[in-house]
Amino acid sequence: MTEKVSVDLSGAAQTMLATLYLKALDADFGRPVLGDRYAKEAVSRLDYDFREIGIAARWAPLITVRTAQYDIWARQFLAVHQQCTVVHLGCGLDSRVFRLDPGPGVQWYDLDYPEVIALREKIYPTRPRYHLVASSATDPAWLNQIPADRPVLLMAEGVSMYLTEDDGVALLRRVVDRFPSGELQIDFYNWLAIKSQKMHTLVRRTGSTLHWAVNSPQDILSRVPGFRLLIADSFFDASTFHRASATFQMARRLVRAAPPVRKMLQYHRYAFGPVN
């Protein structure tokens, strides 16, 4: 029997356990949104009582709709840029590099806090052209570890809301300055999601604080020169939302007349660099 891996995380880093758990629960649904078998295997390897998180399986689409959408966008980028670099900021215990299985022309970097990277090393295998970077996303030093000789896909899922606006904008500006061309695929919470954070079970249980509210792409375009908007969707508008449960489909109809609620969870995709 394989020995289980102990977990000792707190604050924002701890939220990745909830996202991993919900992906694992989704994998057992009769009609999964994501169907991530790697998440299920990872949960089975951790010595952790996931019931302490206090999140029911019915909430899984709040995570899996987003992750499935970014998988689609990432595959589209990789199909066009077969020689590229991928940087997954705040990777947590997400298995995207294994789900997408990028080709030999892709250098993939997963970046997160040192304690998260140490945990990843214990539960996931290594693979060719796959690199782990132990760093806070807001530390400028990590950019020097990433080659800037090819297009880059920067993915930041479930990261922005834990940053202050100044730190978030500075991070995105450094990306545009460092890399010649590429894409940013990132999600944001709007003002209502940030304002109502005390109602979020996960935020309360981990002692985290949400800071940065982005209400529309213009909030980013006006502060980060060089970005071009490709698409901006919300949770309810994502192409993967149709896979969510009937309960969420009903909720979509109910929020049509309440734009702030409909756009609480936003998925943005930007390009930067020369236009081909």
Side-chain angles (χ1 to χ4, degrees):
M1 181 177 179
T2 304
E3 184 178 353
K4 291 206 171 189
V5 177
S6 61
V7 178
D8 183 17
L9 298 172
S10 62
Q14 193 178 6
T15 62
M16 71 174 188
L17 296 173
T19 59
L20 177 71
Y21 184 50
L22 290 174
K23 291 171 187 176
L25 293 175
D26 169 83
D28 280 335
F29 290 170
R31 186 170 176 260
V33 175
L34 184 63
D36 186 355
R37 65 180 177 85
Y38 298 100
K40 186 176 177 181
E41 293 170 2
V43 163
S44 71
R45 296 209 55 205
L46 294 175
D47 183 12
Y48 185 82
D49 185 358
F50 284 90
R51 292 172 298 181
E52 293 183 0
I53 295 174
I55 296 180
R58 66 179 179 274
W59 299 112
L62 290 173
I63 298 299
T64 54
V65 165
R66 177 184 71 185
T67 299
Q69 180 64 70
Y70 284 106
D71 277 5
I72 290 173
W73 287 351
R75 285 192 179 98
Q76 290 172 349
F77 182 90
L78 294 174
V80 175
H81 303 91
Q82 297 182 16
Q83 304 286 328
C84 70
T85 297
V86 177
V87 181
H88 189 179
L89 289 183
C91 60
L93 295 179
D94 184 78
S95 64
R96 179 166 284 124
V97 67
F98 303 104
R99 291 195 306 270
L100 300 190
D101 190 23
V106 178
Q107 296 288 335
W108 189 294
Y109 295 79
D110 273 350
L111 181 147
D112 213 315
Y113 294 113
E115 60 269 30
V116 175
I117 294 300
L119 190 55
R120 281 193 71 93
E121 291 177 324
K122 295 176 182 177
I123 65 170
Y124 286 126
T126 187
R127 54 177 286 147
R129 298 168 296 279
Y130 175 51
H131 317 276
L132 295 172
V133 181
S135 174
S136 165
T138 57
D139 183 349
W142 69 260
L143 283 96
N144 296 326
Q145 300 183 48
I146 314 298
D149 59 347
R150 53 176 66 186
V152 66
L153 169 59
L154 183 79
M155 307 190 75
E157 186 182 349
V159 173
S160 69
M161 57 288 302
Y162 295 99
L163 307 180
T164 65
E165 181 175 352
D166 286 345
D167 282 347
V169 168
L171 166 63
L172 299 186
R173 287 178 175 174
R174 286 194 292 267
V175 167
V176 173
D177 290 342
R178 167 70 176 169
F179 301 107
S181 65
E183 280 192 19
L184 167 69
Q185 299 177 5
I186 186 171
D187 67 312
F188 295 106
Y189 284 0
N190 74 355
W191 67 268
L192 182 58
I194 300 296
K195 188 91 170 173
S196 61
Q197 63 181 282
K198 291 184 179 179
M199 298 173 62
H200 302 182
T201 301
L202 185 59
V203 172
R204 292 199 311 271
R205 286 178 178 265
T206 61
S208 303
T209 302
L210 308 181
H211 299 281
W212 189 14
V214 172
N215 298 307
S216 74
Q218 190 56 39
D219 291 352
I220 301 300
L221 296 172
S222 64
R223 297 208 59 189
V224 187
F227 275 150
R228 305 184 302 277
L229 179 67
L230 298 177
I231 188 170
D233 277 336
S234 72
F235 168 71
F236 292 107
D237 299 319
S239 66
T240 51
F241 182 80
H242 71 280
R243 306 178 195 172
S245 64
T247 300
F248 280 97
Q249 302 298 331
M250 182 180 297
R252 181 184 186 182
R253 293 191 290 271
L254 293 175
V255 302
R256 283 177 179 170
V261 177
R262 187 183 182 96
K263 296 185 177 181
M264 285 178 70
L265 313 180
Q266 300 187 26
Y267 312 151
H268 293 191
R269 184 178 181 183
Y270 301 90
F272 60 94
V275 178
N276 294 330

